[in-house]
Amino acid sequence: MKLKTRIFFIFTSVLIFGVLFYINKKSNLSIDLSKMSLSNERFDSIVVVGAGLAGLTAVIEAYQTAKKIYNDDIAKIHSFPKIYLIEKEKNIGGNSAKATSGMNGALTKYQKELGIEDSLEQFAKDTLKSGGNLNVPSLVNTLVHDSKDAVEWYSQFNLILSAISQCGGHEIARTHRQAPRADGKPSPVGWNIISALKKFIQEDLKDNVEVLLNTRVQKIIKNKEGKVVGVEYETTNLETKETKKDVLPAGAVILTSGGYAHDWTDTSLLRRFGEKTLKDVPTTNGPWATGDGVKMGTAIGAGVVNMDKIQVHPTGFINLKDPFNPTKFLAPEALRGYGGILLNAEGQRFVNELSTRDFVSEAIFKNCSNYLMKHYDSKEEKEIEKKIVLSWLIMNEKGVNAFDAGSIHFYAKIGNMKAVEGIDQVSDFIHIPVDTLKATLKKYNEDADKGYDEFGKKRFPFKFSEDDKFYVAAITPSIHYTMGGLAVNSVGEILTPRKNVDVSTLLNTATTTDDQINLKPILGLYGAGEVTGGVHGKNRLAGNSLLECAVFGRQAGRRAIESLLYYNDSAVEKAKSEEKEENKELITGLSSTEFKSLTFREFHESDNCVYLNLKSTYHRVEPKQALLLKNTTTKITQQVLCSNLDDGGDYGVIKIDMKQLNDDSLGLKNMAPGDTIEVKLA
């Protein structure tokens, strides 16, 4: 063979081999990654999927926790973690940026400044009542107890949520937002919070956080031990439309990708769980709300809860210039919280405007259906007639100024509200006789003087005068929120059934009412926000969505980073094969010579167990392990046996069956989430 031919043959062979190797490598990235151990330094990172409020909060809390606990001992095992924030849209914010009513909080400093007396018990009672007691009790307990700190946590970003309203379903005013701006410009709370957190991440955390936009996570990857070790994703170049697929290793993945209130895709969760009741109902959600996180989670075995509980918000604006558009701009709860009333086509009130969302929506469907709407369609060049559900929302200027005049003027500017002078102009606009409207307002004022009406309303923010300046909007119930989602515990760990269940069975298990004792964590997978389910039951209270993102975004971010940094995977794997006391300490994160401070998670009535958080999700205490517990305040000490189950599923937690104790002298049942207790191996 000639030299040139031989060289050409070798070159061609190498080229072909290289191409095949590259293709094989790309097509088997997830397989290769799934075989890797968490001890690899590439896993000293966290991936957060979804850049709404829950995602941004999780990123910041994870970073701040890492800064707080990272020390020389941890540095010997882990590098300082990198955080990746992945968002499939081109912008940060999601539905959180559209929120306008505010964030709930009980016992906040802002309530105290305004003389508002609240309690954790009443807040929990309101949440459970709205949820029809289908809420997971431990999640409600954490939501309520952490609400004060969550609301005040945002002040570090100059977000002073000092304006407080009482929204539907609340017995007490506790929905916080920023005060109206002095210059009269709109001050939407969701947009303001998202903008401040986005700025902080992009400027202050730019060396530790990488934001990937136009990037869709397609798969969560687990290794052979069942631990989540990364994600598979696809990035789109918006200019060239070219896509690139890759994998990203991670020591933890936090799902904050939102719900499925706009999911009419081929794998639609709305169609599966709510098609019959939601047919022809518009939505307030953006097109991104397609339940991606729920689908990816169930694909690797995550449990779900309350999937058939889909909230229809009573008031989505009907823009009279485009009345048949299936996507509506939300008319926030706070409009009714500041005195807005609802009228049917006959000009009559028909409901307590401050009742729960499901109740008000039902009343609108019952009293305001079959409104004949005529609209000229310029595209089809003809007039279209349809019967729709329509109620009129009416406010006066006092209510507008108390809410946020800038936002109201914005609604008017885009055609969602109309400002008119006097009751006669209201009559002309909504085509209801003026005498009827006068009689309705007169009765409302009389009821306000009495302090109650026939619909059960007891709070009347402002009375009306016939010569008021009125703000009027057409509204209709709209799909707004999905209470269902992935099963999660109070520290943000995504859960899976203890027994193997296929995906189809998981998705067909719509509602769970127990307190998750038959579930266990998927190691390395966390979640927060609307992608998860259980905290709201059958119906969410106004203001609990942003609060859920804040509370559980912080919980998930904190738990994920602590689990990563407090755990020595390589040492534990080696220790499992050796029977030494120090190895037990590595596996449990506890000590036999000194007390370690652990936090209280929850008490479950369903199994009569108190749950304590181990330092890491990966730590595990064997069943019947003897433990010494010491109350940090009273110094009382008791010996107990660990009540973890012997199926190996109780990672990251110590369960203590209270039946083994003659008395609760340690005060375990009376502890609140986050309270500490000292624990030592006995």
Side-chain angles (χ1 to χ4, degrees):
M1 186 179 290
K2 294 182 178 179
L3 180 60
K4 289 184 178 180
T5 304
R6 191 174 297 171
I7 293 174
F8 176 79
F9 176 81
I10 294 172
F11 174 79
T12 304
S13 299
V14 170
L15 180 61
I16 293 173
F17 176 81
V19 171
L20 290 174
F21 176 80
Y22 175 79
I23 293 173
N24 180 69
K25 182 180 179 183
K26 294 297 285 185
S27 63
N28 288 284
L29 279 170
S30 62
I31 298 173
D32 293 338
L33 183 57
S34 68
K35 293 179 180 179
M36 296 177 72
S37 167
L38 287 180
S39 59
N40 188 295
E41 64 179 10
R42 297 175 68 202
F43 288 91
D44 284 334
S45 62
I46 287 180
V47 170
V48 180
V49 184
L53 180 60
L56 299 179
T57 300
V59 165
I60 295 171
E61 181 67 26
Y63 171 79
Q64 292 181 338
T65 301
K67 287 287 288 184
K68 180 180 178 181
I69 69 175
Y70 196 76
N71 56 31
D72 292 341
D73 289 334
I74 291 176
K76 296 174 183 176
I77 308 167
H78 301 282
S79 58
F80 193 86
K82 176 86 177 237
I83 303 172
Y84 295 89
L85 177 61
I86 301 181
E87 169 58 49
K88 68 179 181 180
E89 297 295 314
K90 64 179 180 180
N91 296 313
I92 284 174
N95 283 332
S96 302
K98 302 166 71 175
T100 45
S101 287
M103 180 185 300
N104 294 331
L107 305 181
T108 67
K109 63 180 181 181
Y110 306 119
Q111 284 180 312
K112 292 178 181 178
E113 289 169 359
L114 295 175
I116 298 171
E117 295 184 4
D118 200 354
S119 71
L120 300 181
E121 293 75 17
Q122 186 60 55
F123 186 12
K125 185 177 179 181
D126 291 346
T127 299
L128 291 166
K129 180 180 178 181
S130 178
N133 289 312
L134 291 180
N135 323 62
V136 175
S138 56
L139 298 181
V140 174
N141 193 31
T142 298
L143 181 84
V144 168
H145 276 86
D146 286 9
S147 64
K148 173 184 181 295
D149 288 343
V151 169
E152 296 175 7
W153 184 77
Y154 290 103
S155 64
Q156 65 182 296
F157 312 107
N158 198 31
L159 294 164
I160 309 303
L161 307 180
S162 57
I164 304 175
S165 62
Q166 183 175 339
C167 292
H170 295 270
E171 290 296 321
I172 295 168
R174 62 171 69 95
T175 306
H176 296 63
R177 68 185 197 288
Q178 290 173 297
R181 290 174 48 149
D183 59 8
K185 292 183 179 179
S187 186
V189 61
W191 178 265
N192 291 344
I193 293 176
I194 291 296
S195 298
L197 301 192
K198 173 184 173 182
K199 182 175 184 291
F200 180 76
I201 289 172
Q202 292 181 335
E203 294 181 3
D204 294 67
L205 306 187
K206 60 184 178 181
D207 293 334
N208 298 93
V209 178
E210 183 174 344
V211 181
L212 304 175
L213 300 178
N214 309 307
T215 302
R216 181 186 293 270
V217 173
Q218 298 177 315
K219 182 180 179 182
I220 300 167
I221 304 167
K222 293 198 297 184
N223 66 10
K224 60 184 179 181
E225 286 85 28
K227 296 178 181 178
V228 168
V229 292
V231 297
E232 191 174 302
Y233 68 92
E234 180 179 79
T235 298
T236 302
N237 185 313
L238 293 184
E239 293 183 0
T240 65
K241 305 302 180 184
E242 293 180 350
T243 60
K244 173 191 174 185
K245 291 186 177 183
D246 208 340
V247 295
L248 189 58
V253 173
I254 305 175
L255 294 176
T256 54
S257 50
Y260 46 95
H262 202 299
D263 183 20
W264 296 109
T265 62
D266 292 341
T267 56
S268 171
L269 295 171
L270 279 181
R271 190 173 293 113
R272 178 187 286 265
F273 292 106
E275 184 174 24
K276 292 181 180 178
T277 57
L278 300 175
K279 186 178 180 182
D280 299 326
V281 178
T283 181
T284 63
N285 280 233
W288 50 78
T290 52
D292 299 2
V294 176
K295 296 169 187 176
M296 288 189 292
T298 54
I300 62 168
V304 291
V305 57
N306 293 341
M307 290 295 291
D308 58 340
K309 303 300 181 267
I310 299 164
Q311 184 173 81
V312 175
H313 194 288
T315 54
F317 283 120
I318 298 175
N319 190 313
L320 298 179
K321 296 178 182 178
D322 189 15
F324 306 133
N325 192 320
T327 301
K328 303 300 184 187
F329 203 100
L330 181 69
E333 195 99 13
L335 297 182
R336 287 171 282 131
Y338 283 102
I341 62 173
L342 297 175
L343 307 181
N344 60 21
E346 288 73 44
Q348 306 290 336
R349 287 182 63 236
F350 53 89
V351 70
N352 172 8
E353 291 87 357
L354 296 181
S355 188
T356 56
R357 289 177 174 179
D358 56 344
F359 188 86
V360 177
S361 292
E362 184 179 346
I364 294 173
F365 280 121
K366 181 179 179 180
N367 292 275
C368 304
S369 295
N370 298 317
Y371 186 96
L372 184 62
M373 175 65 69
K374 298 180 180 180
H375 176 66
Y376 182 79
D377 191 312
S378 58
K379 291 182 179 179
E380 296 190 20
E381 297 184 344
K382 65 178 182 180
E383 187 174 73
I384 298 176
E385 288 188 5
K386 283 185 182 180
K387 287 186 176 180
I388 64 172
V389 181
L390 181 149
S391 175
W392 295 106
L393 171 68
I394 297 178
M395 298 180 71
N396 62 16
E397 196 160 29
K398 291 179 181 177
V400 164
N401 290 332
F403 167 68
D404 178 10
S407 293
I408 296 293
H409 295 152
F410 170 74
Y411 297 150
K413 182 178 180 180
I414 62 176
N416 285 333
M417 294 192 88
K418 185 174 178 65
V420 296
E421 297 286 348
I423 196 68
D424 290 315
Q425 287 193 20
V426 175
S427 173
D428 293 340
F429 179 60
I430 64 178
H431 307 296
I432 293 175
V434 67
D435 289 341
T436 300
L437 294 177
K438 288 180 179 179
T440 296
L441 297 186
K442 181 174 181 293
K443 185 169 188 316
Y444 181 84
N445 290 340
E446 291 172 351
D447 291 338
D449 290 335
K450 291 188 302 181
Y452 63 91
D453 66 10
E454 68 266 39
F455 307 113
K457 191 167 188 173
K458 298 178 181 178
R459 184 173 179 270
F460 301 81
F462 300 103
K463 294 199 293 186
F464 292 90
S465 297
E466 294 178 5
D467 58 354
D468 277 343
K469 184 173 185 178
F470 291 91
Y471 292 79
V472 185
I475 61 88
T476 190
S478 305
I479 300 169
H480 181 58
Y481 192 88
T482 49
M483 277 73 67
L486 299 176
V488 65
N489 62 23
S490 57
V491 291
E493 296 166 349
I494 298 295
L495 306 173
T496 184
R498 288 184 179 273
K499 297 180 180 179
N500 289 330
V501 182
D502 61 49
V503 173
S504 177
T505 302
L506 281 173
L507 286 176
N508 285 323
T509 308
T511 301
T512 302
T513 56
D514 64 35
D515 213 358
Q516 304 172 313
I517 61 173
N518 296 315
L519 303 172
K520 62 182 181 180
I522 296 177
L523 298 180
L525 185 62
Y526 307 83
E530 199 174 353
V531 70
T532 63
V535 67
H536 305 298
K538 71 168 187 174
N539 181 63
R540 177 176 66 77
L541 281 175
N544 268 357
S545 177
L546 291 185
L547 178 62
E548 176 191 24
C549 292
V551 167
F552 293 104
R554 294 186 70 200
Q555 287 283 0
R558 187 184 312 126
R559 186 64 170 168
I561 208 73
E562 288 177 347
S563 295
L564 185 66
L565 296 182
Y566 281 142
Y567 191 70
N568 187 338
D569 186 72
S570 297
V572 169
E573 287 303 312
K574 182 180 179 182
K576 286 179 180 179
S577 62
E578 303 174 357
E579 292 292 333
K580 295 180 180 179
E581 190 64 30
E582 59 265 30
N583 292 343
K584 185 184 290 186
E585 295 183 359
L586 278 170
I587 293 169
T588 64
L590 299 174
S591 170
S592 58
T593 58
E594 61 178 328
F595 281 98
K596 299 282 187 179
S597 180
L598 300 185
T599 56
F600 174 85
R601 180 186 296 185
E602 60 220 14
F603 168 68
H604 285 180
E605 290 187 4
S606 49
D607 63 357
N608 196 38
C609 283
V610 164
Y611 288 56
L612 304 177
N613 293 311
L614 291 170
K615 289 292 188 181
S616 168
T617 297
Y618 301 115
H619 286 137
R620 182 170 175 271
V621 177
E622 291 292 334
K624 299 182 180 179
Q625 166 70 49
L627 302 165
L628 283 176
L629 272 59
K630 182 169 69 173
N631 186 297
T632 54
T633 303
T634 66
K635 307 303 180 184
I636 293 175
T637 302
Q638 278 186 296
Q639 182 165 318
V640 300
L641 294 179
C642 175
S643 303
N644 288 0
L645 300 183
D646 58 9
D647 64 357
D650 289 321
Y651 279 87
V653 69
I654 296 173
K655 297 180 185 177
I656 301 168
D657 190 336
M658 296 302 290
K659 290 196 297 289
Q660 66 181 291
L661 300 178
N662 293 325
D663 60 78
D664 187 16
S665 58
L666 291 170
L668 294 173
K669 286 186 179 181
N670 295 323
M671 295 178 74
D675 286 352
T676 59
I677 191 162
E678 302 294 309
V679 181
K680 183 170 72 169
L681 295 171

